[in-house]
């Protein structure tokens, strides 16, 4: 309580004091560009994924517009040492996504390279994944996929300098006959997600769907 008085939680957008469990105030919440995707139907994210790999379903929570509040939220999650933002984004997702045509068998977030994990101190997708798992009673595996190479964050590169991510991932154990929901923060070129998806699809009868916090 004393710390809350000294260091009150403030809206990421306008700076208004808000409760410790909130991310933005009620007024600024209306500025967030939610996609209103239907996980079980066609949408823009699914169409973009289909150009890169076979996908069952796809859902993006927000639109990642330049200089937008959604961009500010993701950047605070990844680079601002605010891991708990992942839980809030997961709760927003749970309110908007439906698995009415059948739940995935397993949730798998995109891994960080161990070097980057040590530097950041946390994987920004883990708390998000664990919250979705709890809300829908779907098991998760944080270590199914391994990242083989360390490189700078995609967001800090000029678009023309981004490289293909072939062979960047490996599978740590055999998984077959599973519908796996791949989880990432921002879908940009789709190269990272495609590389991870193809590794999983190498195993017999696996299928993949995609869930991202935001779509560029």
């Amino acid at each position: 309580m004393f710390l809350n008085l000294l260091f009150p939680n403030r809206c990421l957008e306008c700076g208004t004091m808000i409760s410790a469990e909130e991310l933005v105030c009620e007024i600024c919440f209306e500025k967030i560009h939610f996609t209103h995707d239907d996980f079980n139907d066609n949408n823009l994210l699914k169409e973009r994924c289909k150009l890169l790999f076979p996908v069952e379903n796809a859902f993006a929570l927000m639109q990642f517009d330049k200089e937008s509040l959604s961009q500010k939220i993701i950047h605070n999650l990844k680079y601002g040492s605010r891991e708990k933002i992942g839980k809030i984004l997961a709760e927003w997702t749970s309110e908007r996504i439906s698995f009415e045509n059948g739940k995935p068998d397993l949730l798998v977030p995109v891994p960080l390279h161990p070097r980057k994990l040590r530097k950041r101190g946390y994987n920004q997708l883990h708390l998000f994944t664990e919250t979705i798992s709890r809300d829908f009673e779907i098991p998760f595996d944080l270590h199914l996929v391994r990242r083989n190479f360390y490189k700078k964050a995609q967001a800090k590169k000029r678009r023309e300098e981004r490289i293909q991510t072939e062979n960047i991932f490996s599978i740590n154990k055999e998984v077959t006959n599973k519908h796996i929901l791949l989880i990432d923060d921002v879908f940009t070129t789709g190269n990272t997600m495609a590389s991870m998806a193809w590794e999983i699809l190498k195993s017999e009868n696996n299928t993949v769907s995609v869930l991202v916090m935001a779509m560029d």
Side-chain angles (χ1 to χ4, degrees), residues 52-54 182 193-203 208:
L52 302 171
F53 57 90
L182 304 180
M193 187 65 76
S195 180
M196 189 168 162
W198 281 115
E199 287 299 318
I200 290 173
L201 291 170
K202 288 179 182 178
S203 296
V208 298

Side-chain angles (χ1 to χ4, degrees), residues 76-84 112 116-126:
N76 270 269
L77 169 63
K78 295 179 69 173
Y79 311 119
S81 300
R82 298 191 62 177
E83 184 180 8
K84 290 184 178 180
L112 294 179
K116 182 169 288 185
L117 183 59
R118 288 193 299 269
K119 182 178 179 180
R120 184 172 296 170
Y122 61 94
N123 182 321
Q124 71 275 7
L125 302 175
H126 284 184

Side-chain angles (χ1 to χ4, degrees), residues 4 10 53 56 69 72 83 96 162 172 206 208:
N4 288 339
R10 294 186 179 275
F53 57 90
E56 298 296 307
L69 180 52
K72 188 179 296 185
E83 184 180 8
R96 292 166 173 79
R162 292 177 183 171
N172 285 322
N206 283 337
V208 298

Side-chain angles (χ1 to χ4, degrees), residues 32-39 43 59-63 96:
I32 299 173
H33 186 179
F34 292 105
T35 65
H36 304 293
D37 281 351
D38 184 343
F39 179 77
N43 54 60
F59 180 91
L61 175 65
M62 302 179 292
Q63 187 70 40
R96 292 166 173 79

Side-chain angles (χ1 to χ4, degrees), residues 4-71:
N4 288 339
L5 292 174
L6 286 178
F7 306 103
N9 189 34
R10 294 186 179 275
C11 172
L12 280 182
E13 179 72 357
C14 70
T16 300
M17 289 177 57
I18 54 178
S19 74
E21 292 74 31
E22 293 178 315
L23 188 57
V24 295
C25 68
E26 291 184 5
I27 294 175
C28 292
F29 183 81
E30 300 300 323
K31 298 180 181 180
I32 299 173
H33 186 179
F34 292 105
T35 65
H36 304 293
D37 281 351
D38 184 343
F39 179 77
N40 302 289
D41 204 352
N42 287 329
N43 54 60
L44 180 57
L45 177 60
K46 183 176 179 178
E47 293 302 315
R48 291 176 63 181
C49 288
K50 286 167 63 176
L51 296 175
L52 302 171
F53 57 90
V55 64
E56 298 296 307
N57 296 297
F59 180 91
L61 175 65
M62 302 179 292
Q63 187 70 40
F64 193 76
D65 302 314
K66 187 177 180 180
E67 305 300 327
S68 67
L69 180 52
S70 59
Q71 183 185 59

